[in-house]
Amino acid sequence: MNAPVNAPDTIADLRRDLADAFRITHALGWSESVGNHFSAAVSADGNAFLLNAKWQHFATIKPEDLLLLDSRDQDVLTRPDAPDASAWCVHGTLHRKLPDARVILHAHSPYATALACLKDPTVVPIDNNTARFYGRTAYDLSFGGIADAAEEGERIAESMGDKSVLVMGNHGVTIIGETVADAFEDLYFFEKAAQTIILARSSGQPLAVLSDAVAQNTADGWKPYRGMAAMHFAYLRSVHGLG
């Protein structure tokens, strides 16, 4: 298997990438108090992964602050430096069950959350950004409160399946990517796609939905632009004084 585009060379690089993603997310107004969680696998089987510490604000996270955890560790929540139970439930299960989920970003960004709160939160292909996610989006509409039970994590992993985006009904969005830059780029464009859908629906006018063929062609058309993720992430780092 070829290495992911712009994959970090070391765990130290991955720590720096993930820490910067937290800070950029806050700068864009997508953080939420001291909640929400990002993680990144450091082992080939996905079991060893980095995760933000319990209740640390995104704006303060440094590379060395990230916890190194093992998704098979049944005693992790009993230790003094235990992660947030909800983070462990979701990210621990996803990394254990989906080894290809190298980077997992979960956020309650405003428009993605608004979309998730609609009775029908389908990402309808109506422009370039919404069609980017055509055929790549899964849905979990079984919200039962804060996800801190093992069965919640199992259901979320099953709902994600082989998709890279999970719309979590009445909750938010979870994005999977091969690198931090890749995952962050999808988080960025998903927020823009959700904004377009919310604004278009708020007009009360019928949506001009793309045909399946055009939507698929548009989604495929994004693939050659994958390298833009690293360039965009580098720009966001520089403009916010990171990296």
Side-chain angles (χ1 to χ4, degrees):
M1 178 181 294
N2 293 329
V5 176
N6 298 301
D9 293 327
T10 67
I11 293 178
D13 293 332
L14 184 58
R15 282 182 175 274
R16 186 165 55 251
D17 288 351
L18 197 59
D20 286 352
F22 285 110
R23 290 172 173 258
I24 293 167
T25 296
H26 174 67
L28 292 175
W30 300 345
S31 62
E32 188 162 274
S33 182
V34 292
N36 289 178
H37 315 97
F38 294 173
S39 62
V42 300
S43 62
D45 62 7
N47 283 314
F49 65 98
L50 302 171
L51 179 72
N52 47 314
K54 183 177 181 179
W55 302 342
Q56 182 176 357
H57 197 281
F58 275 25
T60 71
I61 293 175
K62 300 184 292 296
E64 61 269 24
D65 294 326
L66 297 170
L67 303 175
L68 178 58
L69 304 173
D70 189 316
S71 66
R72 299 161 298 186
D73 185 355
Q74 298 182 2
D75 299 321
V76 67
L77 293 179
T78 67
R79 300 196 178 94
D81 59 348
D84 176 78
S86 177
W88 176 252
C89 164
V90 175
H91 292 256
T93 305
L94 286 174
H95 282 295
R96 177 168 48 82
K97 299 196 64 132
L98 304 175
D100 289 336
R102 306 309 298 172
V103 176
I104 303 172
L105 308 182
H106 170 64
H108 299 171
S109 49
Y111 284 99
T113 303
L115 178 66
C117 291
L118 298 181
K119 187 172 183 179
D120 178 5
T122 302
V123 182
V124 185
I126 55 176
D127 76 332
N128 278 331
N129 293 340
T130 50
R132 176 188 178 98
F133 300 100
Y134 184 78
R136 299 177 51 206
T137 308
Y139 300 86
D140 173 24
L141 306 184
S142 300
F143 179 75
I146 294 176
D148 57 2
E151 56 269 23
E152 286 280 309
E154 295 286 337
R155 191 195 73 245
I156 290 168
E158 183 176 350
S159 296
M160 177 68 80
D162 62 352
K163 307 301 184 185
S164 56
V165 177
L166 180 65
V167 175
M168 306 170 77
N170 304 101
H171 190 168
V173 65
T174 294
I175 305 283
I176 286 176
E178 289 192 16
T179 69
V180 172
D182 286 335
F184 192 88
E185 191 78 340
D186 269 348
L187 181 63
Y188 176 88
F189 274 105
F190 191 84
E191 181 66 3
K192 292 183 72 68
Q195 180 180 26
T196 296
I197 293 171
I198 293 296
L199 292 175
R201 288 199 181 282
S202 70
S203 73
Q205 299 297 309
L207 300 181
V209 181
L210 302 176
S211 69
D212 290 345
V214 172
Q216 185 63 64
N217 184 58
T218 306
D220 292 342
W222 275 103
K223 294 176 182 178
Y225 291 89
R226 183 182 172 193
M228 67 188 280
M231 298 299 292
H232 186 208
F233 195 67
Y235 164 76
L236 291 171
R237 274 178 149 161
S238 65
V239 78
H240 295 297
L242 303 171

